[in-house]
Amino acid sequence: MQTLTVGLADRSYPIHIGSGLLREAGLLLPHLPHKRAAIVSNTTVAPLYLEPLQLLLKNNGVDTLSIILPDGEQYKNAETLGLIYEALLRNRCERNTPLIALGGGVIGDMTGFAAATYLRGVPFIQIPTTLLAQVDSSVGGKTGINHPLGKNMIGAFYQPLVVLADIATLRTLPDQELRAGIAEVIKYGLIRDLPFFEWLEQNMERLLARDAEALQYAIVRSCQNKAEVVGADERESGERALLNLGHTFGHAIETGMGYGAWLHGEAVAAGTLMAADLSRRLCWIGEAEVARTRQLFERAGLPVIAPDLGAAKYRQLMGLDKKVVGGKIRFVLLKSIGHAVVSGDAPEDLLRQTLSACASFDQADGTASHSTKPASGQVADYQDRHG
Ligand code: NAD
Ligand code: GLY
């Protein structure tokens, strides 16, 4: 196990990364002094990992309430959030009852927002079970829900007490979800870590094969990058915006196609290629760097062509981005591989060229279809080793 720290003075917290951590009561118990917790999960993750966690806590004298939500990005909304509040109220959960998020980024973001707002704030613990959540969403305290008009538009900054990333849970993750997580891993290389980008070029096949050592390295390195950025700029007044590379385009794809049609990581991948294309049109990077970026996403099995929502729709949706200042869209763009900047200087004609060059008509009414079912045989595998 490796432990990193997100340095935020008296709100600093550890990220524990390793295999089999869901069996380690010692990592959770210090954060559960009142011997009560509410675990929030979903209908896919709960059958896999809830019972062992409940048992572990019960054997250590901790009572748990389970709140099981429907699975999917389309449920990351106010209505589902209401289900969490209702369960907490009905069960008379008090200010000292921590909420534990057990699942991917959707569960983590919603549980975090519930923790930030229930009784004006209760303790919060992250147990991320997707690669994307282990490398990105569980760290840094961004919590929230989607609005029909815009992605993640309602939320709060609210840090967890601890993040427990059990790499063994990734064995049951569908391939398409693993690849979606790799999109956010590549992001760190592109925005601030050229040696990591080079490592990914050399080790992509190991990651896709779920080689434990490669996964551990990629998760630790990603979390190191994220912890450094969040420690320096928790509330995104500067450097943290770089973590949104590809997200201005990507969020427009997710909202425009309907939440859940494109996975977040898939939309980020196609959006990152749009950001790279725009950077090239500004003459900040060359065609060789765009091609190198595209190749890495392609090797990860990620989409590099965006759906053609139409330029007007992209413009409308991107106008709701959280980075918009004074009505002006600000993009995260590349100065080189390993160096990103935030810029409001993209001329309208170049943006239009990017939108028409990077979007494909034949995907306009389709979806990036995928299975959310765990990979067959892998459930039993996890339970054999860790059950
Ligand atoms: P997700 O939470 O929808 O999980 C993906 C799918 O995998 C779901 O069907 C889930 O039930 C299933 N799953 C989870 N763990 C599993 C496991 N171990 N085995 C089998 N199936 C498993 O998606 P995600 O990619 O984890 O997260 C995407 C969300 O995270 C988006 O809503 C995005 O906006 C958000 N996000 C937030 C931040 C942040 O800083 N807060 C950063 C990046 C992304
Ligand atoms: N995922 C973007 C951020 O945490 O800032």
Side-chain angles (χ1 to χ4, degrees), residues 1-4 14-31 49 52-54 56-57 60 100 102 125-129 134 138 162-171 216 219-220 223 382 385-387:
M1 180 181 89
Q2 285 164 281
T3 299
L4 307 172
I15 312 168
H16 302 298
I17 303 162
S19 192
L21 302 192
L22 269 178
R23 294 167 62 180
E24 301 287 336
L27 299 174
L28 286 174
L29 291 178
H31 306 287
Y49 304 112
L53 178 61
Q54 280 177 316
L56 180 79
L57 294 175
N60 285 278
I100 301 178
L102 177 69
I125 290 171
Q126 285 270 22
I127 305 187
T129 62
Q134 294 186 354
S138 65
V162 59
V163 180
L164 207 70
D166 184 344
I167 291 178
T169 62
L170 301 182
R171 293 204 189 103
Q216 173 90 13
I219 295 167
V220 168
C223 287
Y382 181 92
R385 290 163 196 256
H386 299 282

Side-chain angles (χ1 to χ4, degrees), residues 74 83 104 155 157 191 303 317 324 352:
Q74 65 274 33
L83 299 177
F157 288 98
I191 61 170
L317 291 167
V324 169
R352 282 193 176 276

Side-chain angles (χ1 to χ4, degrees), residues 66-80:
S66 305
I67 304 172
I68 311 301
L69 304 177
D71 181 14
E73 184 74 37
Q74 65 274 33
Y75 296 107
K76 186 180 164 183
N77 57 27
E79 192 182 343
T80 313

